[in-house]
Each structure stands twice: as C-alpha cells, then as structure tokens.
Amino acid sequence: MSSDTARDYDGDEECTTTESFADHGLDDGSVLISRTYNRIAADGEPTFEPTPEFFDTLEAAFIWAYIGTIDEPGVPPHVEAAIEDAREFTRREFEDDPDVDLRTDVIPTFYQQVAGFHCAYRD
C-alpha cells in the first residue's frame, strides 16, 4: 500500500464505491459485502480478530464472493491489487481495536477500500 491513510476517491465523478464494480457487471457493491460476511459466517457466528489468519479469511471470502458474483473468469490483476491494498489499510485501521464489529465495521470498511482502490486502479 502506498499510503497510511485512506485515499480520496471523490475526485473521480464516474466511480463511486457503490458502483465501483459496474464495469464488471455488478451495479451495487453491497452484494459483495453481504456475500463476504455470509462466507465467513458459514461455520458459525464469526468475530473479528486482528490476526494474519483472520485477514487471510477475509481476503479469501471476498475473492470467492467476487468470483461468485461477477460473470467473468478469475480475478483481474487490478482487482487483486485493490484487494491487497484494502487488506493492509483495513488491518491498520483495526489492529488496535479487537472489539470492533465484523459485520458493521470491518467488512464494510474493507469493501469501501477495495472499491475505492478499484476505482483508482481500473483505468
């Protein structure tokens, strides 16, 4: 990740975090948020843990949610880069807050960062 702070994506009027993946056939990114949570919750009531293993799980859940939602094979390199940068940003954002809520804080923040980086990287 190139910066310790969130990027300002408001400069691109054509790309919003909600519609970031419209160029991949997904008009509303909230689908990725809910599907990511559902993948993590498949084995029971999930909780956030600021560990590398948790972020591996979060990343994998998002990738599988993406693959299962988008009508194209695999994950394009610019999406992979957005996921990696969002993972690092989210890790830093919550590393000192183990009591944060996974469903309402961690996953939405992660998605917003993925979508924002995607807006920047897709061109």
Side-chain angles (χ1 to χ4, degrees), residues 21-43:
F21 292 98
D23 59 331
H24 297 279
L26 180 63
D27 292 330
D28 184 356
S30 66
V31 170
L32 292 174
I33 294 171
S34 62
R35 289 186 178 183
T36 298
Y37 178 80
N38 291 340
R39 286 190 165 277
I40 293 172
D43 293 329

Side-chain angles (χ1 to χ4, degrees), residues 36-37 40-41 44-59 86-110:
T36 298
Y37 178 80
I40 293 172
E45 187 64 35
T47 58
F48 172 68
E49 297 177 18
T51 64
E53 294 79 15
F54 170 81
F55 284 101
D56 289 345
T57 299
L58 175 61
E59 183 176 344
R87 174 186 170 141
E88 182 60 17
F89 177 89
T90 306
R91 183 193 66 76
R92 289 180 187 178
E93 180 76 12
F94 297 115
E95 68 187 345
D96 294 327
D97 193 1
D99 296 324
V100 72
D101 187 83
L102 175 64
R103 180 178 226 155
T104 61
D105 296 316
V106 177
I107 293 174
T109 296
F110 177 73

